[in-house]
Amino acid sequence: MKIKITFEIMAYYGKDLRRTIVSFHVIFSALWLGAALSMIILMFTKNPQNASELLAYSHANKLIDDWIIIGSATGSFLTGLSLSWKTPWGFFKHWWVIVKLLLTITLILLGTFWLGKWTNESVYMVHDQGLNVYSNKEYLDFQASTRFWGSLQFCILIFIFFLSVFKPWKKIQKSSKKQEL
């Protein structure tokens, strides 16, 4: 007597739940993109007349990073993982999903370990040194690095948006090798 036991390993989200999670994914992604653009605008257009104005610019960037970028990047990443896990898109079925995942992880790591650090350190330096910070090489390096890498991050986010809309590249083909005994 044979007993066949099957388990439903993965049940996909229903239509309404999937649409809800996709909506949150789009909202988080749009917040991340908009906040990144806001930080870039502040970085490239600041023209402080005194130390208080420079500190205000620096604090504004830090607040955008702490309250919008971190939360929206995390939300975008988690909803993206959820959609890959519980929808037919999967993690490794489509090239565009893999590229989005790898780019998102890269951007989050870049933001966590470099951009966020440079933003925070810049605030502390301006607070301690005022306008004299403009003669501090480390501060100037942080600002140049933040402008470059922040702009690159923004461009990559736009690319990720295009990947989501156009879903380029073919589906990943499963290996058709047969094992011979």
Side-chain angles (χ1 to χ4, degrees):
M1 170 188 221
K2 283 187 175 183
I3 299 174
K4 185 176 181 182
I5 300 174
T6 52
F7 293 96
E8 181 70 28
I9 294 176
M10 179 171 32
Y12 291 140
Y13 288 140
K15 186 178 184 179
D16 290 339
L17 181 55
R18 181 183 55 81
R19 285 181 175 174
T20 300
I21 294 172
V22 167
S23 296
F24 277 108
H25 185 67
V26 170
I27 290 166
F28 285 130
S29 300
L31 283 168
W32 188 4
L33 184 69
L37 178 61
S38 299
M39 288 181 75
I40 289 169
I41 291 170
L42 283 173
M43 286 187 285
F44 281 101
T45 63
K46 71 180 177 189
N47 185 22
Q49 303 303 308
N50 57 50
S52 295
E53 287 181 13
L54 181 58
L55 188 58
Y57 278 111
S58 299
H59 270 293
N61 263 339
K62 182 173 173 19
L63 287 171
I64 292 168
D65 185 42
D66 290 348
W67 289 96
I68 304 172
I69 297 272
I70 292 171
S72 60
T74 302
S76 178
F77 178 68
L78 292 176
T79 55
L81 286 179
S82 178
L83 290 167
S84 291
W85 177 44
K86 291 287 195 170
T87 65
W89 293 322
F91 287 102
F92 305 106
K93 294 180 182 178
H94 302 273
W95 284 111
W96 64 272
V97 173
I98 293 173
V99 171
K100 277 184 64 172
L101 178 62
L102 292 176
L103 287 174
T104 300
I105 290 169
T106 301
L107 293 180
I108 289 173
L109 292 174
L110 173 66
T112 301
F113 295 108
W114 289 281
L115 289 169
K117 177 189 171 220
W118 297 330
T119 300
N120 292 338
E121 289 298 319
S122 293
V123 171
Y124 304 137
M125 289 178 179
V126 170
H127 182 267
D128 293 342
Q129 301 172 34
L131 288 177
N132 293 330
V133 79
Y134 283 125
S135 60
N136 181 327
K137 182 181 177 346
E138 187 177 30
Y139 174 81
L140 297 174
D141 288 345
F142 284 167
Q143 293 300 294
S145 296
T146 303
R147 281 192 299 274
F148 174 79
W149 291 106
S151 297
L152 181 62
Q153 186 176 52
F154 178 74
C155 292
I156 293 171
L157 283 169
I158 290 172
F159 178 69
I160 290 172
F161 267 71
F162 277 95
L163 287 178
S164 298
V165 172
F166 291 103
K167 297 170 181 50
W169 310 308
K170 295 181 180 184
K171 211 174 174 181
I172 297 173
Q173 300 296 319
K174 292 183 181 179
S175 178
S176 61
K177 294 181 182 177
K178 295 181 182 177
Q179 292 182 356
E180 295 180 22
L181 298 176

